[in-house]
């Protein structure tokens, strides 16, 4: 449309993607640009909980907890294939601990709270009061109410009952794959834009700069070095005439402003282009532990406990075999892309688990991999709250001095991505004199399915797999894994859309020329067709995109070099990886998994 306005969203993390979808619902043009991949930042390095944030109650953040609980309830309803309720077990040592510290914290006296914290953590009275308030704030949603129980009951986590004789039981939710949730937000935005005939484009692995007169220049795919440079097809620079920009680059917000508005040498040492820094990030590390005894001891609960220093630690089921443990909270000022879990953090998290489950005795060798990310927290004055106490509330900051309307998103949580997007979209649209035409409040994600509709999705996927020639004994397991990732979109994975001007005979000739290729990716229950689907439908460009953020294979316990080599071959067939660079890319992927996440990838599947 000639008079259509275009808003450029920088950053395709969960917040940028949610905002893009919200803007599309109001019929404006949206272009999303990410310097890396969709969900390439904190979104992928989080604890993966959709939660009210029980501990924020102590800091008096009632509004944030109420909003988070409302969003938790909504996301379980609108994205049930990805967001699932999880019962939590909160072990306590005694009855009275933490009452005075909690009161001091509520009144904003953090130093006093730390002094009064004591060694025995929060007692059952403090925990019970917090959980009662949590229930009250979530009232009416039909979630089970909390209870206080004795340790050691049947089906409960087998936590050291002598050290922690009591526990609070309550409910929150888990989003195992925020990466997939973020991709689906963008898929939905594309569907919405196609229905209203408005512009919607996503560019990943592309640098961005400001040109003259409100033009945003999305750079060409850089040549040489890096996975994106191995693309079979070069990509030219694109110029976008933007009416507004939203900087949703998370912990990179200040860096992005600096790169859009470079400072001269004299002022480069000072704060950002607009006179202040917005982000005061803290890094948080997680472990994925492969230990059958720990996984069994956890039962199907998440455990929310305190480490010896009073910091919150989560021990969470991560599928049937793994346990996710996190996190730390350490001020971090470097490039968020360089944040890594240190051996000290790994040791701290292992000690926290062993304090709860001393008989399991998890060792360093049980750690399958680790990851680390930087929270995009608002900057606070030095000597103020402890990192754990810094508000997780989000802010939308308008940069009045910018040559075109520009905002930065600061802070936020996975949980509140949708509500943040709703508020941000209303402000951006209002500033441009445009109406809010729709919101995502009741809009399910494209893959949404649960119960009977999930069973139907699995049946459709089985039929599609069998039709594509997969033996029935494989089709069941493959359909199950495909639905776990794509929800009710799973059957589409096997349906290659018609290419205009190409008939079925032509496609068959092309397939014959390429040879039969794998039907299934080796070592994992996923169809080969899923790789092509991620390229065609989900903006995957590189091997890392597919391994880490589309098929979630980097977490898979049976990941091997064979698996990665199959994905590389399928990317060559999909036309996004140059054939002569495939082997180099496989080596680079294996090396990255080891150096960044401590994941040792065996040659073939040994499990
Ligand atoms: C350790 C940890 C644990 C957490 N746990 C939880 C939790 O359990 N529950 C919860 O609700 N929240 C949690 N959070 C918070 C939540 O993960 C983040 O608030 C949220 O993911 C932020 O999303 P975002 O889109 O703003 O930023 P990000 O996900 O970081 O995305 C920013 C994107 O911007 C891109 N980018 C950077 N620079 C540029 C540029 N110049 N141009 C274009 N693109 C650029 C990056 O590649 C990235 O993809 C946690 C965070 C951390 C770090």
């Amino acid at each position: 449309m000639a008079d259509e306005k275009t808003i450029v969203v920088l950053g395709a993390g969960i917040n940028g993607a949610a905002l893009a979808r919200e803007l599309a619902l109001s019929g404006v043009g949206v272009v999303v640009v990410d310097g890396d991949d969709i969900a390439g930042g904190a979104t992928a390095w989080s604890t993966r909980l959709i939660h009210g944030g029980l501990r924020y109650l102590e800091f008096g953040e009632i509004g944030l907890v109420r909003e988070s609980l409302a969003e938790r309830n909504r996301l379980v309803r609108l994205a049930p294939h990805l967001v699932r309720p999880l019962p939590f077990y909160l072990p306590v040592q005694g009855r009275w601990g933490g009452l005075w510290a909690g009161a001091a914290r509520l009144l904003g006296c953090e130093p006093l709270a730390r002094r009064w914290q004591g060694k025995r953590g929060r007692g059952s009275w403090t925990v019970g009061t917090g959980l009662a308030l949590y229930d009250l704030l979530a009232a009416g949603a039909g979630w089970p109410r909390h209870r206080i129980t004795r340790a050691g009951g049947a089906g409960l986590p087998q936590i050291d009952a002598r050290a922690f004789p009591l526990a609070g039981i309550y409910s929150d939710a888990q989003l195992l794959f925020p990466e997939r949730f973020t991709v689906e937000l963008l898929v939905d935005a594309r569907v919405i834009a196609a229905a209203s005939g408005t512009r919607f484009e996503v560019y990943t692995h592309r640098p961005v700069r400001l040109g003259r007169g409100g033009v945003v220049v999305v750079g060409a795919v850089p040549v040489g070095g890096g996975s994106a440079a191995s693309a079979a097809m070069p990509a030219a620079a694109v110029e976008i005439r933007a009416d507004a920009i939203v900087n949703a680059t998370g912990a990179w917000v200040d860096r992005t402003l600096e790169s859009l508005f470079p400072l001269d040498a004299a002022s480069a040492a000072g704060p950002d282009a607009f006179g202040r820094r917005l982000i005061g990030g803290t890094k948080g590390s997680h472990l994925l532990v492969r230990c059958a005894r720990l996984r069994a001891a956890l039962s199907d609960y998440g455990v929310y406990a305190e480490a010896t220093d009073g910091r919150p630690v989560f021990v969470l089921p991560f599928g049937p075999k793994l346990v996710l443990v996190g996190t730390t909270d350490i001020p971090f000022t470097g490039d968020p892309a360089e944040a890594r879990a240190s051996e000290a953090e790994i040791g701290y998290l292992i000690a926290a688990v062993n304090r709860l489950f001393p008989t399991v005795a998890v060792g360093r060798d049980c750690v399958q991999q680790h990851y680390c990310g930087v929270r995009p927290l608002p900057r606070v004055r030095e000597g103020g709250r402890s990192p754990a106490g810094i508000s997780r509330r989000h802010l939308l900051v308008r940069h009045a001095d910018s040559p075109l309307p520009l905002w930065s998103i600061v802070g936020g949580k996975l949980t509140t991505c949708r509500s943040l997007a709703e508020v941000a979209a209303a402000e951006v649209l209002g500033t441009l004199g445009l109406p809010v035409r729709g919101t995502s409040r009741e809009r399910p994600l494209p893959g949404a399915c649960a119960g009977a509709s999930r069973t139907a999705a699995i049946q459709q996927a089985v039929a599609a797999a069998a039709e594509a020639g997969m033996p029935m004994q494989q089709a069941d397991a493959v359909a199950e894994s495909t639905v776990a990732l794509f929800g009710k979109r799973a059957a589409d994975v096997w349906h290659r859309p018609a290419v205009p001007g190409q008939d079925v005979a032509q496609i068959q000739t092309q397939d014959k020329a390429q040879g039969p290729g794998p039907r299934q990716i080796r070592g994992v229950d996923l169809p080969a067709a899923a790789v092509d689907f991620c390229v065609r439908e989900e903006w995957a460009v590189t091997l890392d995109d597919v391994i880490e953020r589309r098929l979630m294979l980097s977490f898979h316990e049976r990941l091997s070099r064979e698996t990665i080599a199959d994905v590389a071959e399928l990317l060559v067939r999909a036309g996004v990886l140059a054939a002569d660079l495939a082997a180099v890319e496989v080596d680079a992927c294996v090396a990255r998994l080891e150096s960044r996440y401590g994941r040792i990838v065996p040659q073939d599947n040994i499990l």
Side-chain angles (χ1 to χ4, degrees):
M1 276 182 262
D3 57 349
E4 179 184 293
K5 300 244 190 264
T6 298
I7 296 159
V8 172
V9 177
L10 298 179
I14 201 163
N15 286 331
L19 176 61
R21 177 183 185 230
E22 208 67 34
L23 290 168
L25 280 164
S26 282
V28 287
V30 184
V31 177
V32 182
V33 190
D34 199 292
D36 193 301
D37 185 26
I38 296 166
T43 298
W45 313 132
S46 60
T47 312
R48 299 162 186 269
L49 292 175
I50 297 297
H51 61 157
L54 181 59
R55 84 191 158 79
Y56 309 144
L57 287 178
E58 262 192 339
F59 295 96
E61 303 253 29
I62 304 286
L64 175 62
V65 175
R66 185 184 282 120
E67 175 186 343
S68 302
L69 286 169
E71 287 302 306
R72 176 197 73 179
N73 302 344
R74 195 188 300 274
L75 296 183
V76 165
R77 208 161 30 83
L78 300 178
H81 58 311
L82 295 172
V83 183
R84 301 218 174 89
L86 181 67
F88 274 82
Y89 183 97
L90 200 163
V92 286
Q93 287 182 293
R95 293 214 177 262
W96 305 106
L99 272 180
W100 291 113
R105 200 160 271 139
L106 202 58
L107 295 170
C109 296
E110 181 61 23
L112 212 53
R114 268 182 251 165
R115 183 143 22 110
W116 286 345
Q117 189 64 58
K119 290 210 167 56
R120 293 179 62 80
R122 293 162 186 81
S124 58
W125 277 92
T126 315
V127 165
T129 309
L131 289 175
L133 185 54
Y134 209 58
D135 285 342
L136 198 69
L137 292 171
W143 285 56
R145 292 176 63 80
H146 86 277
R147 64 192 164 94
I148 301 291
T149 185
R150 289 197 170 280
L156 293 177
Q158 289 146 36
I159 287 198
D160 183 359
R162 276 200 305 187
F164 302 96
L166 298 167
I169 308 276
Y170 69 104
S171 294
D172 255 325
Q174 189 177 34
L175 169 54
L176 267 197
F177 300 137
E179 301 87 342
R180 294 242 25 105
F181 185 97
T182 307
V183 168
E184 276 203 36
L185 288 171
L186 291 173
V187 168
D188 197 35
R190 186 179 55 202
V191 170
I192 296 162
S196 61
T198 48
R199 178 179 194 181
F200 182 74
E201 290 158 24
V202 175
Y203 298 96
T204 60
H205 301 283
R206 308 280 284 263
V208 68
R209 68 178 172 80
L210 267 190
R212 284 176 194 280
V215 169
V216 175
V217 184
V218 179
V221 170
V223 178
S227 284
S230 306
M233 301 280 286
V238 180
E239 293 199 348
I240 299 151
R241 189 156 293 282
D243 294 285
I245 302 178
V246 182
N247 173 12
T249 57
W252 288 269
V253 152
D254 291 321
R255 287 167 185 262
T256 303
L257 291 173
E258 283 164 13
S259 71
L260 291 180
F261 305 97
L263 300 174
D264 57 37
S267 54
D272 75 48
F274 300 102
R276 64 196 164 119
R277 288 204 183 282
L278 298 171
I279 300 287
T282 66
K283 77 165 180 159
S285 294
H286 291 85
L287 312 180
L288 269 163
V289 176
R290 184 157 59 186
C291 168
R293 283 190 301 146
L294 179 63
R295 182 64 190 82
L298 203 50
S299 187
D300 280 323
Y301 281 80
V303 171
Y304 173 29
E306 286 172 15
T308 42
D309 59 359
R311 261 208 45 71
V313 172
F314 288 98
V315 185
L316 304 165
F318 192 88
K321 302 228 168 90
L322 299 172
V323 175
L324 178 66
V325 183
T327 171
T328 52
D329 208 346
I330 302 168
F332 187 84
T333 51
D335 180 351
E338 299 302 323
R340 298 285 183 275
S342 67
E343 277 306 320
E345 287 174 280
I346 295 171
Y348 168 91
L349 292 172
I350 291 175
V353 174
N354 286 338
R355 181 168 176 249
L356 298 166
F357 299 95
T359 53
V360 173
V362 165
R364 177 68 177 83
D365 56 331
C366 300
V367 177
Q368 172 181 287
Q369 68 206 84
H370 46 75
Y371 64 79
C372 177
V374 178
R375 299 174 181 86
L377 299 178
R379 189 171 143 87
V380 293
R381 68 183 163 79
E382 286 194 12
R385 284 181 164 186
S386 63
I390 299 170
S391 176
R392 267 52 176 173
R393 196 179 290 280
H394 45 251
L395 310 167
L396 185 66
V397 178
R398 172 89 195 263
H399 301 289
D401 299 338
S402 164
L404 78 167
L406 169 71
W407 291 262
S408 290
I409 291 175
V410 178
K413 304 164 63 185
L414 303 175
T415 312
T416 50
C417 67
R418 201 213 58 82
S419 52
L420 178 155
E422 196 181 326
V423 171
E427 164 142 0
V428 173
L429 293 166
T431 304
L432 297 182
L434 299 170
V436 173
R437 292 222 174 93
T439 80
S440 59
R441 272 180 226 171
E442 295 303 325
R443 189 175 171 92
L445 280 193
C449 61
S453 62
R454 186 173 184 280
T455 308
I458 292 175
Q459 282 164 357
Q460 280 170 9
V462 170
E467 202 183 310
M470 185 169 280
M472 240 3 206
Q473 63 274 28
Q474 282 171 24
D476 283 340
V478 166
E480 186 83 42
S481 311
T482 311
V483 170
L485 290 178
F486 299 97
K488 74 172 187 218
R489 296 166 69 228
D492 300 346
V493 164
W494 283 273
H495 294 144
R496 211 188 301 173
V499 178
Q502 229 184 13
D503 60 22
V504 176
Q506 260 178 309
I507 294 173
Q508 281 169 348
T509 318
Q510 206 172 306
D511 285 353
K512 259 196 203 137
Q514 284 189 324
R519 279 231 169 84
Q520 192 175 326
I521 303 168
R522 270 179 292 176
V524 296
D525 290 329
L526 282 173
V531 175
D532 190 53
F533 186 74
C534 295
V535 171
R536 255 190 300 116
E537 299 291 328
E538 299 191 337
W539 301 278
V541 184
T542 72
L543 188 54
D544 295 339
D545 295 352
V546 178
I547 298 287
E548 293 186 29
R549 290 170 296 272
R550 299 298 185 285
L551 301 186
M552 310 312 306
L553 295 173
S554 51
F555 295 128
H556 204 291
E557 63 271 15
R558 293 199 307 269
L559 177 74
S560 71
R561 184 181 268 271
E562 281 181 344
T563 315
I564 299 174
D566 278 358
V567 174
E569 185 191 331
L570 292 161
L571 286 174
V572 172
R573 284 169 178 270
V576 291
L577 177 61
D580 54 340
L581 291 173
V584 177
E585 283 300 307
V586 172
D587 286 346
C589 180
V590 169
R592 174 180 151 93
L593 290 171
E594 181 170 347
S595 67
R596 180 159 194 176
Y597 310 117
R599 178 86 202 252
I600 310 294
V601 179
Q603 181 62 33
D604 48 28
N605 169 24
I606 46 172
L607 290 181

